[in-house]
Amino acid sequence: MTTLTAFAMDTYMTVSVRGIDSFEAAKAAGELIEEYDSLFSVSGSGSDIAAINSAAGEPVNISSETLRQITASIEVSGRSGGAFDITVEPLADAWGFSGGSEYRIPSDLEISQLLDKVDYSRIQISGNTLSIPDDMKISLGATAKGYTSDALVALFGSYRVDGAVISLGGNVQTFGTKKDGSEWIIAIQDPNDPERYTGTVSVSETAVVTSGNYQRYFESGGKRYGHIIDPATGYPVQNGLLSATVICHSGLLSDCLSTALFVLGEEGAKSYYETYGGFDMILITSDGRIIVTSGIAGSYTQEKNSPYILEVF
Ligand code: AMP
Ligand code: MG
């Protein structure tokens, strides 16, 4: 077993690999994480995103890795009625959630002006070039970790690796099996007390991705402002959900969806699930419920002291 730890994409990452090639595979994983950290970051000379954001409306050649994420994002944007939108970056930046800027509450006027710059349908893709209007900006904060964990799974497939757990901030993805062949046990954090977990899910090879207000936020006047922005209002999401976890085979799709469902809220997430399916989800609400979809209800084990009431949807 080899364990690699890294700080990249603004979060702590741990990758544990088991198998004859575990050392080489973990080393290659570290290199790929570093490469993707630069490629998908909002700043830096090697970044596709920085190039797009500073292109002043001109088309930019981008890597297939970036293109995949943007294409998947646009699809989820359409399906979620714009709740998921990677062009929300100017607002994320204004609130202080992007890079080095300070946390602050922008004025209503500033928010309404910035909302004019948010519109995923104005992203233009032609072959491997992409352009956005001059005043718009994108970020892959909601997709890069999921894309990266998919890539690490693919990478491990080319080494003699029997099992691996990839944990990139709120994104967990598994590869292969545990040593004894049993299922992986993934903990679901308690958003009100992130040092603790409220339950576990037992899974085979899959991604388990959580979005929530507790992962990055600031507080002012007794109110919490989290890093996920509702593109309908320009304000941090405040809709009664504390976290949304998505479980599906694709790390990229899970990452898009966990963010999208968190913005949609309980009812919106339920109707998205009923319309599109293809994944399982765990929603934790501020009124003390944990809602688990029927596909994984049998694999979910609630902690003895969990403060949440379990509902199966
Ligand atoms: P995640 O942790 O995957 O839920 O992604 C959150 C990150 O995505 C934030 O830190 C922002 O960079 C970006 N983001 C915030 N709000 C949205 C949104 N409504 N749609 C897409 N990306 C967003
Ligand atoms: Mg996400």
Side-chain angles (χ1 to χ4, degrees):
M1 171 84 99
T2 306
T3 298
L4 166 100
T5 55
F7 187 84
M9 301 180 184
D10 272 334
T11 195
Y12 291 97
M13 302 187 162
T14 309
V15 181
S16 299
V17 191
R18 184 178 60 80
I20 297 174
D21 289 342
S22 69
F23 182 79
E24 292 78 3
K27 186 164 172 281
E31 287 163 4
L32 191 66
I33 287 171
E34 212 173 292
E35 182 191 330
Y36 282 179
D37 188 27
S38 320
L39 189 59
F40 307 143
S41 134
V42 284
S43 58
S45 58
S47 158
D48 275 352
I49 306 309
I52 293 166
N53 289 347
S54 60
E58 294 300 314
V60 176
N61 256 310
I62 55 170
S63 64
S64 61
E65 288 94 333
T66 300
L67 193 58
R68 277 274 327 273
Q69 289 173 68
I70 295 177
T71 310
S73 292
I74 291 172
E75 181 170 2
V76 173
S77 296
R79 290 180 164 198
S80 65
F84 185 85
D85 193 332
I86 58 171
T87 68
V88 82
E89 172 62 16
L91 277 156
D93 191 29
W95 284 92
F97 290 115
S98 183
S101 45
E102 298 274 305
Y103 291 136
R104 65 187 186 89
I105 301 174
S107 70
D108 286 347
L109 177 66
E110 186 179 357
I111 288 174
S112 77
Q113 285 169 345
L114 291 175
L115 278 173
D116 291 342
K117 303 175 194 283
V118 179
D119 182 359
Y120 69 92
S121 71
R122 292 161 75 192
I123 301 174
Q124 296 210 318
I125 298 173
S126 162
N128 56 359
T129 66
L130 182 147
S131 67
I132 54 172
D134 188 14
D135 56 345
M136 285 175 57
K137 285 189 165 36
I138 62 170
S139 95
L140 298 182
T143 64
K145 297 193 291 287
Y147 182 86
T148 301
S149 59
D150 279 338
L152 293 177
V153 162
L155 177 79
F156 294 155
S158 64
Y159 286 87
R160 287 171 296 175
V161 168
D162 301 317
V165 180
I166 300 155
S167 177
L168 317 179
N171 292 52
V172 176
Q173 195 159 345
T174 58
F175 171 84
T177 62
K178 268 167 59 177
K179 194 166 186 184
D180 63 4
S182 63
E183 294 215 300
W184 303 100
I185 308 291
I186 311 294
I188 305 299
Q189 270 176 305
D190 179 351
N192 280 321
D193 188 358
E195 298 292 299
R196 300 167 65 95
Y197 56 97
T198 180
T200 58
V201 270
S202 145
V203 295
S204 53
E205 209 175 76
T206 195
V208 181
V209 178
T210 301
S211 289
N213 251 334
Y214 64 94
Q215 292 166 333
R216 192 183 306 173
Y217 63 89
F218 68 95
E219 278 170 333
S220 173
K223 270 192 78 173
R224 176 178 292 199
Y225 299 93
H227 68 131
I228 301 176
I229 309 290
D230 185 346
T233 63
Y235 275 76
V237 169
Q238 192 65 259
N239 60 14
L241 276 190
L242 299 179
S243 70
T245 299
V246 169
I247 301 167
C248 90
H249 291 292
S250 159
L252 174 58
L253 183 60
S254 301
D255 206 354
C256 294
L257 287 180
S258 67
T259 311
L261 300 183
F262 186 73
V263 179
L264 286 170
E266 178 181 345
E267 293 315 316
K270 284 175 166 172
S271 88
Y272 192 105
Y273 171 82
E274 285 179 317
T275 308
Y276 299 105
F279 62 93
D280 277 294
M281 65 181 183
I282 300 173
L283 306 175
I284 302 184
T285 68
S286 56
D287 63 4
R289 291 169 299 126
I290 180 159
I291 302 154
V292 178
T293 49
S294 53
I296 44 141
S299 315
Y300 176 77
T301 307
Q302 179 97 324
E303 274 301 290
K304 251 205 262 43
N305 299 323
S306 168
Y308 301 100
I309 295 165
L310 180 61
E311 286 180 9
V312 176
F313 179 68

